[in-house]
Amino acid sequence: MKKSLRDALVARLSGYDRAVEVGVGREPSVAAALADRGVDVVAVDVHEFPVPEGVSFVRDDVFARADAPDLGPYADAGVVYALNVPVELHRPAAEVARRADADFLFTTLGYDEPSIPVARETLPGDTLYVAERGRRGQRARGD
């Protein structure tokens, strides 16, 4: 990930007390930078991946979690975010975030449009999508 995009993502997400990254994979640089800024970060993926110090890892499936009664690692999140997320994960991740009363922010693989209602924010080299919320507004530090 290019440093300018990573820095813009970190700046945008660092206002939250607790963040959950869906599908961290082999690229935990945003999670690591958020942890360095004092954000409580949980990285989630269906496969085991190493994460940097300061980042917690939980093996979880957002598809299954969307309908599960227990929110698991998403409970108490201020934001759920996903980077380069395929279209089939938009709806389940947004549902988990909604149930946790958290914001859902994401980038796509670049060639697909979001499958859920969103607002768009321009970042260096990418677009950040912010899922529309029906209940509360954004819950960032100091709110």
Side-chain angles (χ1 to χ4, degrees), residues 35-46:
D36 287 345
R37 288 192 175 195
V39 178
D40 177 13
V41 182
V42 177
V44 174
D45 206 296
V46 293

Side-chain angles (χ1 to χ4, degrees), residues 61-109:
D61 181 350
V62 74
F63 282 108
R65 190 63 68 184
D67 295 323
D70 175 13
L71 284 172
Y74 305 93
D76 300 322
V79 65
V80 174
Y81 71 95
L83 307 175
N84 301 316
V85 65
V87 70
E88 61 268 16
L89 288 181
H90 298 178
R91 192 163 309 284
E95 175 60 16
V96 167
R98 184 197 63 76
R99 289 181 48 224
D101 198 24
D103 294 328
F104 176 48
L105 285 65
F106 64 102
T107 63
T108 66
L109 294 170

